[in-house]
């Protein structure tokens, strides 16, 4: 093929907070040519269409709306000398490393020395939730709603039902208010809201019914939604007239490139398997941000991008320990949704502890237990809540080069 | 196209009712034969009936009842599709199929399946052992006894295919009228007088390709129908493209008397289907999906290919088969009244359509009717949207990718909204481009799409400001 070839030191796939944070920091560490490849018309990631605060406390010490925050991240990257390339879709990743990209002008190949994957998360749409009923228009995710409202000033419905009570579900509520949309209800399968309780003030202020222990059982309507059937915990069904449904949250990693390529993916997190440096199964590739651990706030992702930039710079200098001595952390309890990073490499240079993020599938109180069945066990008392994250600090001394796996269990009580 | 005005000349040689895959193919064949054809479709777009959702398999007819009309049409249709698809720019994936026997009872039936295949002229079908099957599809679940390999079973693009037939019909003078419901008709000695939602028409011949409504139309035009449509729904689960690599071969169960059973099937778009279910229902248009059935399909699929469980579900959908009480197609001719009914084309219409169309042409014009010399045939080319060939995102000047999951470009979308048979609904746009049909189902591109499509769609993506629900 006669595609254009572009060589660079580091190619960052995805220009969200993670990618922009990493790219900017790479430049400040003296790395020569850093390119950010972003498929949208502009870099900035999800915050581009979150028209509400609070963004930017960590990065800029002030409270910004999403679009302002995204603009500042872009400006900082440009000022640092990052080559931001919007309208550039990475279509495949290969060993080398080598990236295949599509632009409005046709195909190109990027041949960097290192790659950072930072492609973020999306929400689980209606289809993957296997919801019953007809398939009319007006069924959206929060992300789609936000980009319609904030980027295009369009209003897809007037009286929707919002499914879910994660933080992003309350963003959906704010977005509705901004557009003059009046949600009929918020429904949640669990018996308590997933987000912090304080967030539930919002629907009350907007006069929106909060229905816990309630499942969206069916969608009705032909061209457009005419209503939904809700099933309450008691088994009772209720038909609610509405003209839209927002499926919010249940984040999944946007990891198609890794899955379709040669990078190992963790079925539990849905993102690439990484070590504590953010390195993937192909050590020329790194991954960071929400694609690795669905899902955190923009500020945390940015911070992680910066930290991963340090490791990529070390890697370019040959300064990272070899990946082949890694120990794998294997979740061994259904309550544990995932643990990231999955691979821990003994590293004499660095801190005494490696932070491992653990996310839970349900609610419980008890003790996290990490061990290999023989040597010492690390235990940490914790309260597990769905979608919340707990940091387990694993001491370096627990690792040794010939240890294959550490099993991560949970004991209730 | 988007007017309700009557056509300029309401008189034609043949009026074809219904723009499903059968009607589109019939219109093409008759137009090629030199007839002046009108294709009248009640819906806004083509393919809004049974042809909307199927498994997209181009069957060889290996398992059709020997001697049936169905078998003859599939075999003729299959042959013609292979001859013409490249000229229309239609993809054809020669995937091959395995009929899988998981227990002794099923294994005993394989011999008959091979015999029937051979009797139907599918002579390359043959029994193979579990090892050979596993070599073809390494991820098969445990316990396979043996299988029949049918190398000729293939995959097509279920939407571009009929679209191409109709485009070719139009380039040979056929007229397509949407929002044109055929309501009443009288045969007046030498021609039909038909009243439709777009005015009166006159036609020498009338061909009923009304699919799920074929019996009802027959009753209105001719009298008591010799068959009754028994709608049978089929639901599907579509797995993400990451699962597409798990099998390049179509995986069929040993069929029962009433259904081909649940198939695990690659597609020309690179993903993997599991379905269809088989559910008798009264409604001819209720294509709702059901959580319990979708979960059942997932578990069947994951039984056949255990590795599927680590892949995400991208989409779900349902189609309705225009089945009748009889297994065979319901082809009925009334020569006196110059009427032909092509009904009950239940589960093989995509494969058989070109064959059915030849049958229609023979019925109306006789065996000897000549076709135009090959150099006079025009071959419009449809946009190539499958993974089998070059896509627009690979070419310069594409305007940028709008739908990131299916890599649909702005130029592709704009072309689908204009041109001779433009999309006038979101569903129609999806069928023509695949926009929003990927794993995110519109998370990333809905906003952009609502802007690009503004003014083009009958039901705009953002026009919900109807009166608020009570
Ligand atoms: C609907 C929604 C609302 C949210 N609201 C908030 C909120 O209010 N506050 C908050 O703190 N967090 C919010 N989040 C969490 C959000 O994920 C983080 O704020 C943050 O955006 C994550 O940063 P990231 O860089 O990892 O990913 P993203 O911001 O998602 O950026 C990933 C980027 O990669 C690009 N990309 C993906 N694939 C490719 C490819 N193949 N080629 C080129 N480019 C590609 C995407 O276009 C995108 O720009 C929200 C998330 C969602 C889904
Ligand atoms: C689940 C499922 C899986 C299948 N899998 C396959 C497969 O893998 N391979 C294969 O070959 N086949 C398959 N099929 C079968 C195939 O889809 C059908 O045989 C085919 O679509 C039938 O097409 P049709 O044109 O006869 O009917 P339809 O598509 O229903 O077309 C009839 C049209 O007539 C219109 N109409 C009705 N009444 C009027 C009126 N009075 N005036 C004007 N217009 C009218 C309707 O609006 C409709 O558009 C499958 C079918 C289903 C449901």
């Amino acid at each position: 093929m006669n595609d254009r070839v572009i060589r660079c030191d580091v190619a960052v796939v995805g220009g969200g907070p993670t990618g922009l944070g990493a790219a900017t920091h790479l430049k400040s560490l003296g790395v020569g040519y850093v390119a950010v490849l972003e498929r949208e018309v502009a870099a900035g990631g999800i915050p581009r269409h979150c028209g509400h605060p609070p963004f930017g406390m960590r990065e800029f010490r002030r409270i910004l709306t999403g679009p302002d925050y995204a603009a500042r991240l872009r400006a900082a990257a440009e000022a640092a000398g990052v080559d931001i390339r919007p309208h550039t879709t990475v279509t495949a990743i290969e060993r080398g490393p080598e990236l295949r990209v599509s632009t409005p002008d046709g195909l190109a190949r990027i041949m960097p020395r290192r790659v950072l994957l930072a492609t973020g998360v999306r929400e689980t749409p209606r289809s993957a939730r296997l919801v019953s009923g007809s398939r009319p228009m007006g069924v959206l995710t929060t992300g789609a709603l936000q980009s319609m409202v904030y980027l295009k000033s369009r209003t897809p419905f007037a009286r929707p039902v919002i499914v879910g009570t994660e933080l992003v579900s309350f963003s959906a509520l704010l977005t509705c208010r901004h557009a003059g949309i009046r949600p009929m209800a918020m429904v949640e399968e669990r018996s308590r809201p997933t987000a912090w309780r304080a967030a539930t003030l919002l629907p009350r202020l907007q006069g929106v019914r909060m229905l816990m222990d309630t499942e969206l059982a069916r969608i009705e309507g032909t061209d457009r939604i005419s209503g939904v059937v809700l099933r309450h915990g008691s088994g009772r069904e209720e038909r609610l007239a509405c003209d839209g449904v927002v499926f919010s949250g249940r984040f999944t990693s946007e990891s198609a490139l890794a899955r379709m390529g040669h990078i190992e993916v963790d079925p539990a997190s849905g993102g690439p398997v990484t070590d504590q440096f953010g390195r993937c199964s192909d050590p020329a590739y790194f991954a960071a941000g929400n694609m690795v651990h669905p899902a955190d706030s923009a500020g945390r992702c940015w911070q992680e991008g910066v930290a991963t930039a340090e490791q990529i710079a070390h890697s370019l200098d040959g300064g990272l320990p070899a990946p082949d001595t890694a120990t794998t952390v294997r979740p061994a309890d259904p309550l544990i949704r995932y643990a990231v990073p999955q691979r821990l490499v003994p590293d004499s240079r660095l801190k005494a502890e490696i932070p491992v993020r653990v996310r839970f599938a349900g609610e419980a109180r008890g003790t996290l237990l990490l061990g290999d069945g023989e040597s010492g066990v690390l235990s940490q008392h914790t309260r597990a809540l769905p979608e919340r994250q707990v940091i387990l600090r694993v001491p370096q001394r627990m690792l040794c080069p010939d240890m294959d796996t550490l099993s991560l269990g949970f004991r209730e009580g | 196209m988007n007017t309700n005005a009557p056509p300029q000349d309401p008189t034609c040689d043949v009026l074809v009712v219904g723009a499903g895959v059968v009607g589109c193919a019939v219109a093409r064949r008759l137009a090629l034969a030199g007839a002046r054809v009108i294709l009248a479709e009640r819906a806004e777009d083509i393919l809004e009936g049974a042809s909307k959702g199927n498994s997209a398999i181009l069957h060889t007819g290996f398992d059709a009842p020997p001697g049936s009309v169905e078998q003859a049409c599939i075999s003729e249709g299959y042959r013609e599709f292979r001859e013409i698809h490249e000229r229309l720019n239609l993809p054809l994936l020669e995937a091959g199929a395995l009929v899988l026997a998981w227990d002794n009872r099923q294994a005993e039936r394989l011999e008959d399946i091979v015999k029937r295949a051979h009797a139907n002229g599918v002579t390359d079908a043959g029994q193979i052992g579990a090892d050979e099957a596993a070599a073809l599809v390494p991820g098969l679940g445990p316990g396979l006894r043996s299988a029949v390999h049918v190398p000729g079973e293939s995959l097509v693009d279920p939407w571009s295919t009929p679209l191409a037939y109709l485009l070719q019909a139009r380039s040979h003078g056929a007229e397509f009228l949407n929002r044109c419901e055929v309501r009443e008709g009288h045969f007046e000695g030498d021609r039909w007088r038909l009243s439709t939602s777009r005015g009166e028409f006159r036609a020498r011949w009338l061909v009923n390709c009304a699919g799920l409504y074929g019996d009802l139309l027959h009753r209105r035009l001719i009298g008591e129908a010799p068959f009754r449509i028994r709608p049978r729904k089929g639901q599907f689960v579509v797995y993400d493209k990451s699962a597409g690599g798990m099998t390049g071969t179509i995986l069929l169960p040993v069929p029962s008397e009433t259904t081909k059973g649940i198939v695990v099937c690659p597609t020309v778009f690179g993903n993997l289907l599991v379905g269809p279910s088989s559910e008798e229902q009264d409604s001819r248009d209720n294509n709702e999906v059901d959580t319990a059935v979708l979960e059942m399909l997932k578990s069947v699929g994951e039984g056949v290919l255990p590795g599927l469980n680590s892949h995400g579900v991208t989409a779900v959908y349902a189609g309705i088969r225009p089945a009748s009480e009889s297994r065979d197609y319901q082809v009925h001719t009334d020569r006196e009244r110059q009427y032909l009914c092509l009904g009950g084309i239940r589960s093989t219409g995509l494969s058989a359509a070109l064959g059915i169309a030849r049958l229609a042409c023979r019925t109306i014009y006789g065996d000897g009717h000549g076709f135009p010399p090959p150099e006079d045939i025009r071959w419009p080319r449809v946009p190539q949207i499958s993974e089998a060939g070059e896509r627009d995102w690979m070419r310069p000047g594409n305007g940028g990718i709008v739908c990131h999951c299916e890599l649909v470009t702005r130029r592709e979308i704009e072309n689908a909204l204009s041109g001779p048979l433009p999309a006038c609904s979101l569903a129609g746009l999806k069928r023509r481009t695949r926009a929003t049909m990927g794993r995110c189902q519109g998370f990333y591109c809905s906003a952009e799409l609502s802007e690009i499509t503004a003014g083009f769609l009958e039901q705009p993506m953002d026009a919900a400001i109807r009166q608020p629900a009570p």
Side-chain angles (χ1 to χ4, degrees), chain B residues 18 22 41-42 50-51 54-55 57 182 321 345 347-351:
Chain B
V22 174
E41 167 57 51
R42 177 171 69 180
S51 307
N54 57 47
S55 323
I57 302 174
V182 175
R321 306 170 186 86
I345 319 286
S347 51
T348 49
L350 181 61
S351 315

Side-chain angles (χ1 to χ4, degrees), chain A residues 39-40 46 87 89 91 102-107 121-123 125-128 130-135 137 141 143-144 147-148 152 154-157 159 184 218 223-225 241-243 254 256 259-260, chain B residues 241-242 288-291 294-295 298 310 313-317 393-398 400-401 404 407 426 439-444 446-448 450-451 454 459-466 468-470:
Chain A
R39 63 189 181 183
E40 295 291 343
I46 294 284
H87 252 326
T89 304
T91 57
S102 164
T103 72
D105 305 323
L107 302 179
V121 286
R122 58 177 194 270
E123 296 160 285
R126 179 248 170 109
S127 53
L130 308 184
V131 174
S132 290
S134 60
R135 298 182 302 122
M137 296 218 287
T141 44
S147 34
M148 273 195 183
K152 308 288 179 190
R154 292 182 178 269
T155 319
F157 36 54
R159 306 293 320 259
M184 299 289 297
R218 275 172 63 77
D223 289 335
R224 296 198 170 271
I225 299 179
C242 64
D243 66 352
E254 176 70 355
R259 282 173 184 276
M260 307 290 287
Chain B
K241 288 187 175 175
S242 61
E288 293 185 356
V289 292
D290 180 80
T291 309
L294 299 172
E295 273 165 1
K298 276 190 75 180
S310 63
V313 169
T314 288
V316 300
Y317 66 97
W393 60 265
M394 302 172 177
R395 292 187 286 256
N398 58 46
I401 292 170
H404 296 301
L407 302 175
L426 182 59
R439 55 181 77 87
C440 90
Q441 296 276 301
F443 175 89
Y444 293 111
S446 291
E448 190 74 16
S450 70
E451 189 175 65
Q459 288 272 345
M461 291 176 71
D462 60 346
I465 309 306
R466 250 188 344 187

Side-chain angles (χ1 to χ4, degrees), chain B residues 28-312:
Chain B
R28 165 183 178 272
R29 177 45 66 197
L30 294 171
L32 283 176
R36 178 167 148 60
V37 178
I38 290 178
L39 177 60
E41 167 57 51
R42 177 171 69 180
E44 250 157 51
D45 196 5
I46 66 170
L47 311 180
E48 286 289 347
S51 307
K52 177 155 60 176
N54 57 47
S55 323
I57 302 174
L58 186 75
H59 295 292
T60 53
F62 79 95
D63 57 350
S68 60
V69 180
E70 180 184 28
Q71 192 275 321
C73 289
I74 296 177
S75 139
E76 226 179 332
Y78 180 87
R79 213 174 314 127
E80 183 173 351
F81 186 85
R82 293 181 60 96
E83 275 166 34
I84 67 170
H85 76 93
E86 274 172 5
R87 276 173 286 180
L88 294 169
N89 205 26
L90 291 170
L92 172 70
L93 205 66
E94 295 176 319
L98 287 174
V99 183
L100 302 170
W102 298 97
D103 60 32
N104 286 339
R105 236 193 35 227
Q106 292 175 355
E108 280 163 16
R109 296 193 37 212
L110 296 186
E111 208 181 305
D112 285 342
I113 291 174
V114 173
K115 269 195 205 142
R116 178 179 276 198
H118 291 179
N120 286 340
V122 184
T123 49
D124 57 355
Q127 239 190 98
I128 62 173
D131 298 355
E132 278 174 273
L136 276 173
V137 186
L140 283 176
L144 186 72
R145 291 299 161 88
S146 51
V148 172
H149 186 217
V150 192
E153 292 283 291
S154 303
L155 300 165
V156 297
D157 173 341
W159 301 295
S160 300
T161 296
L163 183 67
Y165 299 164
L166 181 52
L167 282 172
Q168 194 174 24
R170 287 183 87 252
S171 66
H172 283 264
E175 191 169 3
F176 171 65
L177 298 175
N178 66 341
R179 281 193 227 104
C180 180
E181 180 178 15
V182 175
R183 291 178 176 150
E184 304 290 339
H186 298 284
F187 189 70
E188 300 183 323
D190 64 342
R191 63 188 58 205
W192 281 89
R193 198 174 75 202
L194 297 155
S195 68
T196 78
S197 51
R198 286 178 72 167
E200 278 217 349
F201 292 84
R202 276 161 220 277
R204 285 185 200 287
W205 271 80
L206 185 67
V207 184
N208 173 354
C209 302
L212 289 157
Y213 294 82
D215 57 341
L216 300 185
L217 183 67
H218 187 101
R219 195 157 68 206
R220 249 187 276 163
L221 297 170
I222 298 289
E224 207 41 55
F227 65 100
R228 269 192 61 82
I229 292 295
R230 301 242 173 103
R232 197 189 300 151
K233 178 154 73 185
Q235 302 186 39
F236 291 91
V237 169
V238 186
Y239 281 87
D240 189 64
K241 288 187 175 175
S242 61
M246 293 194 66
T247 177
T249 308
I250 303 161
L251 304 174
L252 309 163
V254 172
S256 77
E257 270 317 300
T258 50
T259 160
K260 287 179 181 293
I262 294 165
V263 182
V264 177
C265 187
T267 73
V268 295
F269 308 113
N271 39 25
L272 205 72
L273 299 178
V274 179
S277 59
S278 182
E279 304 160 66
E280 304 247 356
Q281 62 180 31
D282 292 332
S283 168
R284 297 164 194 253
D285 53 17
N286 175 339
N287 62 352
E288 293 185 356
V289 292
D290 180 80
T291 309
V293 174
L294 299 172
E295 273 165 1
M296 177 278 288
L297 292 172
K298 276 190 75 180
S299 76
V300 170
E302 289 164 16
V304 174
L305 282 180
L308 265 186
N309 69 1
S310 63
H311 294 273

Side-chain angles (χ1 to χ4, degrees), chain A residues 14 16-18 38-39 45-47 52 55 88 90 118-120 251 290 297-298:
Chain A
T18 309
E38 169 56 53
R39 63 189 181 183
I46 294 284
H52 52 74
F55 285 90
T88 302
V90 178
T119 50
F251 292 111
N290 273 348
S297 70

